[in-house]
Structure formats: C-alpha cells, structure tokens
Amino acid sequence: MKKMISKVTNKANMLAIKAKMALANNHAEGFVDTAIKILMAVVIGALVLAGLYMLFDKTVLPTLVQRIKDMFNYAG
C-alpha cells in the first residue's frame, strides 16, 4: 500500500513540475507580440488612409478632376 501511495505521489509531483515548467516557458511569446504589432500597423494604416481620402476628397480631387477634363477637351 505504501508503494502505491508513493507512486501516486511521485506522479503527482512530476505532473506539478511539468505544469510549472510549461507555464514558466516563454519560448513562443514573440509570435503573439508580432501578430499584435502587425494588426496594429494595419489598423493605424487604414485609419490614416481613410483620413487622407476624406481630406483630399473635398479639396483636391474636384479641382484635379476638372483639370483633367479640361486637358482632354479637344473641342476648343
């Protein structure tokens, strides 16, 4: 009976040690950080592009479109 209790205790201790080592291991931590950085860059880039489009849509693009139409107006 003591032998069986000793075996179970040893297995439980080994399992606890393995769990502690697995939790302390930070080997693949860089993958999560890289994914978050890429996602942040994409979101910030999209926001900047949307802001630039809203800015240039009202001020620059109408005059640019009119100038292009005037350039290709061969009637005059």
Side-chain angles (χ1 to χ4, degrees):
M1 187 68 154
K2 284 186 178 184
K3 201 175 207 182
M4 189 174 99
I5 293 174
S6 176
K7 272 185 169 181
V8 171
T9 305
N10 284 340
K11 284 188 179 183
N13 285 338
M14 289 302 292
L15 184 63
I17 290 171
K18 285 181 183 179
K20 188 175 181 180
M21 288 176 62
L23 290 174
N25 186 9
N26 60 359
H27 181 69
E29 186 176 338
F31 294 115
V32 174
D33 294 342
T34 304
I36 290 174
K37 288 176 188 174
I38 291 171
L39 185 62
M40 285 174 50
V42 168
V43 169
I44 291 171
L47 288 173
V48 168
L49 285 175
L52 286 173
Y53 182 75
M54 287 178 60
L55 175 70
F56 289 130
D57 188 38
K58 301 290 184 203
T59 57
V60 175
L61 286 179
T63 53
L64 182 65
V65 169
Q66 186 60 38
R67 285 185 182 176
I68 291 172
K69 284 181 182 178
D70 290 341
M71 256 179 24
F72 290 105
N73 186 8
Y74 293 119

